[in-house]
Structure formats: C-alpha cells, structure tokens
Amino acid sequence: MLTSLLLTPIIGIFTICANISYGALNINSNRIKVIGLVTSIVNLITSLVIFILFDFSTNQFQFVQEYHEISSFDLYLGLDGLSIYFVLLTTIITPIALLSNWSSITENVRSYVIIILLLESLLLAVFLVLDILLFYIFFESILPPLFLLIGLFGSSNKVRASFYLFLYTLFGSLFLLLSILTMSSIMGTTDFDALYKTNFNYSTQLFLFYGIFLSFAVKTPTIFLNTWLLKAHVESPLSGSIILAAIVLKLSLYGIFRLILPLLPKATLDYTYIVYLIGIITIIYASLSTLRTIDVKELIAYSSVSHAAVYLIGVFSNTIQGIEGGVALGLAHGFVSSGLFICVGGILYDRSGTRLISFYRGMAQIMPLFSILFFILSLGNCGVPLTLNFVGEFMSLYGVFERLPLLGLFASSSIVFSAAYTIFTYNRIAFGGSYTKFLEDNVNDINKREFFMLLILVLFTVVLGIYPSPVLDGLHFSVSSLIYTPVV
C-alpha cells in the first residue's frame, strides 16, 4: 500500500504524457487537470484506508516494505504513529492545491500538473522512508520541482524568489548531509531502526546537533534564516504557497522527530534553552513584522513563521503534551494557512489583481459568504478555542512552561500577537469602510469550487478542534517512546 502511495502520482504523470505522445498535442487543459485531480484523490483514499487499518496501540513501524535489488542501498518504507499524520496532511492538501489554481493557470497546464504530482510523490517519500540517507535525498529532491513551480508560474519577481528558495535551503541542508555522513561512518549503517539503538558520545552529539538543527532552522524557518520563505510565498502561485506553508514547512518538524530527539537526546536536553531563545525571538519579530506589512500574502507568510516557531519550541519541551501539541499545531497550521492563502492569494487576488491590503475595504458587503469562511479561518489563526490551532498551541505552550517557565511566559506572547495581527487584518479587509466602485462591478462572491475547498479546510480545523482525540490518541505511543529513550 505504501508503494502505491508513491507510484500513484507517477502513474498520473505517465498518463498525462501518454495522452500527448499518442498525437493529442492539443489535449484539452481541463482534461489534464482532471487526470491530476483524480490521481491525487485516489492517493487520498489510499491514505485514508491505511489510516483506518493502522494499529495505534504500538509504536512500531507498520506496513513495512523492503526492496533490496534497487541499487547499492536498500529501500525501506514504513509508517509509525508520527508519520501517518504527515502523510494524511500531504494527501489532503495536494488535491486542494490543484483545485486552487484551476481557473487561474491557463498556459503550460501540462507542466503545472506534472510538477504538483511529482511534488506529492517526493513529499510522501520523505515521510515513508526508513533510512536517513534516503530521507536526505528525498528531503532535497523537492527543491527542483518547487524551483520550477515558482519560476514558471509565479508573479513578476518569480525568478529571484525561486533562486532564493533553491540556494538558501540547499546550502542549509549541506550541514544535514555532513551530519548523516558522520553518523554513517561511525555506525556503518543509515537505517533508522539500527541507529535508534545506538548512543553517540556527548561531543559527537553536540556536533551532529549543530549541523542537523541548522539545516532544520533554515527549513522551519527561524529568525535571520526566513528571507527565502517570504520571497517564495509572495511570488509563488497559489498552489505553491499552499504546498510550501502546509507541507514543506513540516519537513523540519518531522525531521526533528526522526533525527534529533531519538538520536541526540543529551545534546537536545542541554541546548533546549538556545532553541527556546531562537523561537521566542522569531515569534516576536515575525508578529511585529506581520502587524506592519501591507502585502496580504506576505502577511500570511510572516504569520506562518510565527506559528512554526511555536511548534518548534513545543517539540523541544521533552514533555508528552508539548510534542503532541507541536504535531497538532503543525497539522492545524497546514489547514488554516492553506485556507488563508486561498482567501487572500486566490479569491481576492484573482478578482482584483492586487495584493495591497489598502485596496480592500468593506468586502463583507459584497462577499458575505467569503467573509464568513475567512472569519472562521482567521479565528483558527488566532488559536481561538474549538479550533485545532487552540489545542496545538495550548499544549505546545504548556510543554514550554513545564520545561522553562520564564521563557514560556515570553512564548505566550504569540497568543496576543496572533490575535492582534489576524483580527486587525480581517477588520481592514472585511469592514474598514465602504468598497470602491471597481470592486462593486468586478468582484463576485465565491463560487462552488472555492466554497468546497474552504469548507473542507474549515471542517478539519473545527471538528478536530472540538474532538482532537483522533490525532492525540494516535500520537501517544510514538511520542512516549521518544520521551523515554534512555540517555547515558
């Protein structure tokens, strides 16, 4: 079943190419989009079947598949209680990403759909492989498709943004590669299971921690390392922004669970306060920047940086509540940030052609349905009770308070800041005066496609916020095994 998850998008790509090779050079672009959408929905159904069959009463890898004959290395695939949620997030977001640019991308549609399907396959591979070298290979392999997606379909400054994304994250990941090579040379293996049974000496753990954490800090991204994200979000097409915010930013979160917490426990415990300081500075800086920005897509990008810092400090709390809260907040951020990007970077931008907040006033008067869904997503971004964001943020901050109460106090400023910039933004867009005659003549309320996309994301946010047990109960065994790894 795991192999089918990886191969289904590839089969979709070959189906699109086969249609062209058999003489249908002028193949209808809608047909290509339908093939891509059906492929991603089949993958979503497969992942839901895996979720239903998954046994959450153990922390062992399940559905393990092993392929020896591929090359000089072995390909191991498997799922545990942590990776299953990231796989589900990927398969849920990909069809929404395809739908988000359904009508706005009309040229070179074939390349666009192929890039999205390839991205889905590579992202799923990151969460499924059980080998740290293959993890690195797939971790980096998402960069070329993202580079092409932004470079081909982005806004006016797209080429510069795509180079920023590629070079920044590639350079940061070199330290991850050096750390993996070091572990491989010491242990003679790159297999997750074998490495989890080892215990590096303290000085080795420190150097490995520096390299791995630096590469994940670029991917998160933290303060001083987030320039690439802002440019990529602003210039990216809507589907690129959704995939970046919802899935790509979670690769660092997943990597911490796989490489830092189980393999480097002593270094993690000793350097928690530095991670907390970096996280708190990132929260305050990103929140203040969000309050002053005038570009609506940049605003959501800055808020993503702030929320990423919250779940980063949550997973370093060394408490069950903090780690489970970090995963829950990561999932919630995937749903809410995708919805907000659809609202501001899709619905408003497609209708008006501008990203400046000052142009939008009184949207509630001419787009009431949009305003209601936008308001619910904004409440989720604030971390209001009865949303999954509240569950994740509360548990993450609780974990921080358990570990370092003083720094937990500063980290809690994210609650106030997120409410301030989100409600301030919503007020300026939905209310804030009367709309212009241009908007009255050219802007209509959301259509069925946009409504269903936003409704799905709102339902996930609210239903899991009211009843988070499907997420928290499933995490419990895997998180407990992370916490109680013996430290020598």
Side-chain angles (χ1 to χ4, degrees), residues 45-71:
I45 294 168
T46 307
S47 66
L48 289 173
V49 171
I50 291 172
F51 182 73
I52 292 166
L53 297 175
F54 195 85
D55 179 12
F56 287 101
S57 62
T58 175
N59 58 11
Q60 300 298 312
F61 289 108
Q62 299 175 44
F63 302 101
V64 175
Q65 293 171 257
E66 188 177 345
Y67 301 96
H68 294 284
E69 304 83 9
I70 292 180
S71 182

Side-chain angles (χ1 to χ4, degrees), residues 182-458:
T182 304
M183 285 190 274
S184 177
S185 64
I186 293 172
M187 299 308 304
T189 181
T190 54
D191 180 61
F192 276 140
D193 267 335
L195 288 169
Y196 288 168
K197 296 175 175 64
T198 64
N199 196 11
F200 299 105
N201 64 49
Y202 184 62
S203 58
T204 306
Q205 283 196 32
L206 290 184
F207 283 106
L208 291 174
F209 182 85
Y210 299 149
I212 296 173
F213 181 74
L214 180 61
S215 65
F216 289 156
V218 172
K219 214 80 163 186
T220 299
T222 57
I223 184 76
F224 306 128
L225 299 173
N226 57 14
T227 313
W228 68 269
L229 179 76
L230 304 174
K231 293 185 182 299
H233 268 313
V234 170
E235 302 300 331
S236 170
L238 178 55
S239 55
S241 294
I242 290 171
I243 291 172
L244 261 176
I247 310 168
V248 174
L249 295 193
K250 308 303 176 294
L251 295 181
S252 59
L253 177 64
Y254 179 73
I256 290 168
F257 293 134
R258 283 287 175 259
L259 298 179
I260 293 184
L261 298 184
L263 298 178
L264 314 171
K266 192 72 171 69
T268 303
L269 290 172
D270 289 351
Y271 278 82
T272 298
Y273 68 96
I274 292 178
V275 176
Y276 279 14
L277 283 173
I278 293 171
I280 290 164
I281 294 169
T282 305
I283 289 168
I284 295 170
Y285 168 78
S287 299
L288 293 176
S289 300
T290 307
L291 281 167
R292 61 175 290 279
T293 186
I294 59 171
D295 187 306
V296 73
K297 274 189 87 173
E298 192 174 306
L299 189 147
I300 308 299
Y302 269 119
S303 76
S304 291
V305 173
S306 176
H307 290 302
V310 175
Y311 63 65
L312 176 70
I313 60 178
V315 297
F316 273 92
S317 66
N318 203 46
T319 63
I320 290 176
Q321 291 87 353
I323 295 176
E324 288 183 358
V327 177
L329 183 57
L331 296 176
H333 174 258
F335 298 134
V336 169
S337 62
S338 300
L340 290 174
F341 273 118
I342 291 169
C343 287
V344 299
I347 295 170
L348 292 180
Y349 181 72
D350 285 350
R351 284 159 171 72
S352 63
T354 180
R355 292 194 302 260
L356 297 178
I357 298 175
S358 54
F359 281 89
Y360 302 113
R361 294 195 309 272
M363 289 291 102
Q365 300 170 56
I366 51 176
M367 302 175 72
L369 195 55
F370 162 80
S371 300
I372 291 169
L373 292 170
F374 185 30
F375 182 61
I376 297 171
L377 290 166
S378 298
L379 290 179
N381 204 43
C382 298
V384 169
L386 301 184
T387 62
L388 185 57
N389 300 66
F390 169 75
V391 175
E393 198 161 336
F394 178 82
M395 293 179 71
S396 297
L397 294 173
Y398 179 85
V400 178
F401 265 105
E402 287 272 297
R403 188 72 190 276
L404 292 168
L406 181 61
L407 292 180
L409 188 66
F410 286 105
S412 298
S413 63
S414 67
I415 300 169
V416 179
F417 281 129
S418 62
Y421 61 68
T422 307
I423 298 303
F424 183 46
T425 304
Y426 180 80
N427 185 53
R428 283 188 289 174
I429 291 175
F431 305 113
S434 59
Y435 50 85
T436 63
K437 291 295 180 185
F438 167 79
L439 292 176
E440 184 179 19
D441 294 336
N442 294 279
V443 176
N444 302 314
D445 210 345
I446 56 177
N447 56 36
K448 288 181 181 179
R449 173 180 60 86
E450 294 159 343
F451 174 75
F452 282 115
M453 282 194 299
L454 292 177
L455 183 65
I456 289 167
L457 295 169
V458 164

